Amino acid sequence: MITDDTDDERPKGPTILLAAGGTGGHLFPAEALARELQNRGCAVELVSDDRVSEFADHFPADAIHEITSGTVTGKSLGDKAKGVLSLAKGLWECRGLIKAVHPRAVVGFGGYPTVPPVLAASLMKIPTIIHEQNAVMGRANRFLSGRVRAIATGFDIADEDDDDDDDFIHVGNPVREMVLAAARIEMPPALKGGRLRLVVFGGSQGARIMSEIVPYAIEKLPAEMRKRLHVTQQAREDDLLRVKADYAKMGVDNDCAPFFKDLPKRMAESHLVIGRSGASTVSELSVIGRPSILVPLPGSLDQDQAANAAVLADADAAEVIRQKDFTKEFLAERLAAILNDPEPLMAMGARAKALGITDAASRLADVVLKVAGLKNLVKGDVA
């Protein structure tokens, strides 16, 4: 255990245990659900791996527990055996944790750290739910899907392995309060001859490609167009000084940093977002309602980012480009076209916003509380 809010004076209601992989993509929706459950009088505890320490200071949980976890997808038999042993150790740890916490339900948000707690709860006959953020189901959730009582989804997906889709409850992806606040900011008018505000980011696995392509694409633009740009860009520490120097040399107004705590607000104040297409990014783009150029992370076994991006592309709310085609020549051409005629961005943003689900946390809480047998805390009608 790394945190324990024992001084909290709130009456301790029924406990819901959340399980999530230790990255923002899994923890952000878990954070939104935690706040909703607490608002309804529940106690919330979180179980994750050692990466959760980065988020522990602001995650709204009565306690946060670290458990052993591992992946069984290593290349060698030794790596796979090590992963199996880690999962077995985590399962044993979670049995003890569940006996101590006595949760009314366990909710998994994907990633291998969710397997031990959700599997342990299932074996102990504790109600279990998983939430799949992506437009295709990840490997951990696929493994758990036959062992849980409900599967909630961020996107309207079907079970490819089951003709009965009734197991899937589309609730949307819960987003943080700062995203909901950003959604109340009106998109700045995209005017011909006016300023164009870009936000560029790629997450932990995608920032380098953005630093390798975007500044050099902008360099290809005429000087008059460059002067109309304001670029907010996430850049890795290794790339940061070079990127800032490149923009300064070009005379491009910019704000570059390795991380932006207020990224949703910056997205809302932009005309165009360029980035990857993780589930959180796509959901935040739709809730806030901003047009985008998306470059799905290649090489994924599940191709989840490509599926996520397709949701916006199918609604003409985003342009999706494969990484091998995401060149400085391509991007320079697209930016020049947008700068010459930016007004279509407004319609793209509106189409993105039409897809947003702002009450996903409430919808998911209803599913969790119904499965947990706490129907007096359910607000809406859930399947």
Side-chain angles (χ1 to χ4, degrees):
M1 181 185 297
I2 59 176
T3 67
D4 187 356
D5 295 338
T6 52
D7 293 332
D8 193 338
E9 297 181 356
R10 289 183 297 109
K12 188 174 177 64
T15 297
I16 306 296
L17 181 63
L18 308 185
T23 63
H26 297 303
L27 286 168
F28 289 160
E31 176 186 335
L33 175 64
R35 293 189 187 281
E36 177 68 23
L37 290 171
Q38 288 176 338
N39 288 339
R40 299 197 196 186
C42 294
V44 175
E45 300 195 16
L46 172 71
V47 56
S48 185
D49 61 12
D50 56 7
R51 295 171 295 174
V52 77
S53 58
E54 180 182 346
F55 302 86
D57 289 342
H58 60 78
F59 195 97
D62 296 85
I64 299 178
H65 311 271
E66 289 183 8
I67 53 100
T68 304
S69 71
T71 172
V72 295
T73 58
K75 293 182 179 180
S76 70
L77 286 175
D79 288 340
K80 291 180 180 178
K82 185 178 178 180
V84 169
L85 289 174
S86 294
L87 286 172
K89 182 180 179 183
L91 180 63
W92 181 257
E93 292 169 354
C94 288
R95 286 179 61 88
L97 173 63
I98 289 170
K99 287 180 180 179
V101 172
H102 301 294
R104 294 292 296 268
V106 176
V107 188
F109 282 86
Y112 278 95
T114 67
V115 174
V118 174
L119 183 56
S122 176
L123 293 171
M124 298 169 73
K125 309 301 181 185
I126 305 294
T128 52
I129 305 98
I130 55 175
H131 180 271
E132 176 55 60
Q133 292 93 61
N134 291 292
V136 293
M137 187 166 285
R139 283 161 284 173
N141 277 348
R142 282 203 305 269
F143 173 77
L144 294 168
S145 62
R147 299 168 171 81
V148 299
R149 299 194 187 179
I151 302 170
T153 65
F155 297 100
D156 191 7
I157 63 176
D159 186 353
E160 297 175 355
D161 300 319
D162 190 345
D163 292 333
D164 184 3
D165 295 337
D166 292 341
D167 292 339
F168 288 78
I169 306 169
H170 179 215
V171 299
N173 278 320
V175 295
R176 297 164 292 163
E177 178 55 41
M178 68 171 65
V179 178
L180 296 176
R184 294 190 283 270
I185 299 173
E186 291 189 10
M187 182 173 172
L191 302 176
K192 189 168 184 177
R195 297 275 281 174
L196 186 74
R197 302 183 68 88
L198 300 181
V199 168
V200 182
F201 63 95
S204 59
Q205 300 183 75
R208 173 154 290 168
I209 186 73
M210 298 301 164
S211 297
E212 292 172 346
I213 297 297
V214 178
Y216 303 110
I218 291 174
E219 187 178 30
K220 287 182 166 294
L221 296 174
E224 182 275 332
M225 286 187 171
R226 293 200 299 263
K227 290 178 180 178
R228 291 169 51 199
L229 291 173
H230 180 281
V231 181
T232 296
Q233 182 161 346
Q234 176 198 34
R236 294 157 60 108
E237 291 280 5
D238 293 346
D239 302 320
L240 184 60
L241 291 178
R242 173 182 59 80
V243 172
K244 289 178 72 70
D246 286 342
Y247 284 135
K249 182 175 62 176
M250 289 183 262
V252 173
D253 192 13
N254 72 91
D255 188 359
C256 299
F259 181 75
F260 295 102
K261 291 183 178 180
D262 60 344
L263 185 59
K265 181 175 182 289
R266 291 172 182 264
M267 291 166 62
E269 293 171 346
S270 73
H271 296 102
L272 178 68
V273 173
I274 302 174
R276 294 296 195 189
S277 51
S280 291
T281 296
V282 170
S283 297
E284 290 174 8
L285 282 168
S286 60
V287 168
I288 297 170
R290 295 299 178 269
S292 55
I293 295 174
L294 300 177
V295 188
L297 185 69
S300 169
L301 291 176
D302 303 317
Q303 289 297 300
D304 52 333
Q305 289 207 4
N308 299 340
V311 173
L312 289 177
D314 289 347
D316 292 327
E319 181 173 355
V320 180
I321 184 77
R322 293 178 297 179
Q323 181 165 306
K324 71 183 186 68
D325 299 321
F326 184 62
T327 63
K328 55 183 179 291
E329 292 80 11
F330 159 81
L331 186 58
E333 182 180 335
R334 291 297 301 122
L335 290 176
I338 290 168
L339 284 160
N340 281 325
D341 185 16
E343 293 182 12
L345 293 177
M346 303 299 292
M348 287 182 68
R351 289 192 288 267
K353 198 172 185 68
L355 298 174
I357 299 177
T358 58
D359 63 343
S362 179
R363 296 185 189 193
L364 179 56
D366 280 346
V367 174
V368 170
L369 295 170
K370 182 177 180 181
V371 170
L374 300 168
K375 295 184 179 180
N376 60 308
L377 299 179
V378 174
K379 289 183 176 179
D381 295 325
V382 295

